[in-house]
Amino acid sequence: MKKVTLRIPATTANLGPGFDSLGCALALYNTITCEILPDDRLVIAGCPKEYQNEQNLAVQGYRAVLDRLGLPREGLAVTIAAEIPVCRGLGSSAALIAGGAAAANLLHGAPLSRAELLDVTNAIEGHPDNLAPAIFGGLTASLVEEGHAHTVQLPLCQRLRWVAAVPDFELSTHAARGVLPAAVPFADAVYNASRAAVLVGALACGDHDLLRCALRDRLHQPYRYALIPEADAVETTARECGALAFCISGAGPTLLCLTDDPGFSGRLTERCAAFCHHWQILELAVDRQGITVMEQPE
């Protein structure tokens, strides 16, 4: 029996000015088991029935690796145990794609490196900001050059606490991208480029003042706030509770706070209980491993 079980972390991407490039892996996980079947069936468990087909993102990741390796399609059983909420801006899609791809790689002798897995999966996702931290762990900066994805892992201050405010409603990435302008003023591009550069250093050293100004953005957040009910109220409350910096996680609707105060999450939970929507406050450690093998193939 050829079977493998993998754990893939959630991710928070963009991090303010790092649109489609910066991302960080967080300790909230999807677990995927893939088993090669002796016939040509596709069997999927652990997700809604409408995703139990070839369009399942884990299956797409798996098939993409087979295609890269020049291998034929094969029967496959996939079991998904998902902790990462769907359509919340925490990288649920990237976790499934990366998990399926990594499973196919391991079940066929692991010929591809993690860097090659990023390249394969980015062809499906279209941007590597979630995929890179899901695969490598930690804080990453990524780019796509001539159709190929590249990434670097970056130092990260261990004092920082990553706190996600996860609402009780979804926001599709398609809808969140649909509100973005086709062009932005030159001044806004300079604004974001300078802050993204400084943010990398601020996250490494944990400097409070640098984090406050470097996490600001003009490319996507101003347009997406209107799609997230109570976002302004949550931000105001978070800052009153002592957040060092605040941004949208990925495309939203989850909102991300950075702090070094151990009491911050408790205060924010209390205050957010008064809002109309339910906001789950999760303090999440940084995952520094990326994809982890839980059960090796035999």
Side-chain angles (χ1 to χ4, degrees):
M1 179 171 61
K2 296 197 71 175
K3 181 170 72 171
V4 64
T5 299
L6 301 169
R7 188 182 73 175
I8 312 96
T11 50
T12 181
N14 297 328
L15 301 180
F19 184 71
D20 277 4
S21 59
L22 292 178
C24 187
L26 300 174
L28 184 69
Y29 299 98
N30 282 357
T31 302
I32 297 176
T33 298
C34 290
E35 179 182 355
I36 297 175
L37 299 178
D39 49 42
D40 61 359
R41 289 178 301 146
L42 175 62
V43 181
I44 304 175
C47 66
K49 191 170 183 178
E50 59 263 35
Y51 301 115
Q52 296 179 15
N53 51 52
E54 290 285 345
Q55 299 308 307
N56 183 284
L57 292 173
V59 175
Q60 289 188 41
Y62 191 99
R63 302 296 196 211
V65 166
L66 293 188
D67 291 343
R68 170 66 71 92
L69 298 177
L71 297 174
R73 297 293 175 99
E74 59 196 8
L76 180 65
V78 181
T79 302
I80 301 168
E83 293 182 355
I84 306 171
V86 176
C87 293
R88 295 300 204 284
L90 288 169
S92 61
S93 296
L96 291 173
I97 295 169
N105 189 47
L106 285 166
L107 287 170
H108 293 87
L112 301 181
S113 67
R114 292 197 184 211
E116 289 170 315
L117 286 176
L118 174 62
D119 202 42
V120 171
T121 54
N122 186 65
I124 301 170
E125 180 86 329
H127 44 92
D129 50 338
N130 287 107
L131 287 165
I135 292 170
F136 288 92
L139 177 67
T140 61
S142 307
L143 58 81
V144 178
E145 178 73 13
E146 297 182 349
H148 294 286
H150 306 272
T151 193
V152 292
Q153 291 182 281
L154 301 170
L156 187 59
C157 177
Q158 296 193 7
R159 296 192 310 275
L160 290 176
R161 294 170 178 263
W162 299 66
V163 180
V166 186
D168 58 2
F169 54 87
E170 298 180 358
L171 175 59
S172 75
T173 301
H174 178 75
R177 286 189 174 269
V179 300
L180 301 182
V184 297
F186 185 82
D188 288 351
V190 173
Y191 182 99
N192 264 60
S194 60
R195 277 154 184 78
V198 172
L199 179 59
V200 170
L203 289 169
C205 69
D207 184 281
H208 292 191
D209 291 335
L210 285 179
L211 284 169
R212 286 190 185 96
C213 64
L215 216 63
R216 296 171 185 160
D217 154 81
R218 290 183 182 174
L219 293 188
H220 69 105
Q221 293 189 137
Y223 307 99
R224 289 171 166 172
Y225 257 69
L227 301 178
I228 306 174
E230 299 182 321
D232 288 333
V234 174
E235 178 176 4
T236 298
T237 302
R239 295 193 186 280
E240 290 173 352
C241 289
L244 297 177
F246 185 95
C247 64
I248 296 173
S249 179
T254 291
L255 304 171
L256 181 70
C257 310
L258 291 181
T259 183
D260 57 10
D261 180 354
F264 171 81
S265 296
R267 292 194 299 275
L268 187 60
T269 298
E270 273 186 39
R271 294 281 301 277
C272 286
F275 294 148
C276 295
H277 289 279
H278 174 68
W279 293 84
Q280 184 181 17
I281 308 303
L282 300 175
E283 181 172 329
L284 299 170
V286 172
D287 174 280
R288 299 178 185 273
Q289 304 301 315
I291 294 176
T292 303
V293 180
M294 308 302 288
E295 180 185 357
Q296 292 277 3
E298 296 177 4

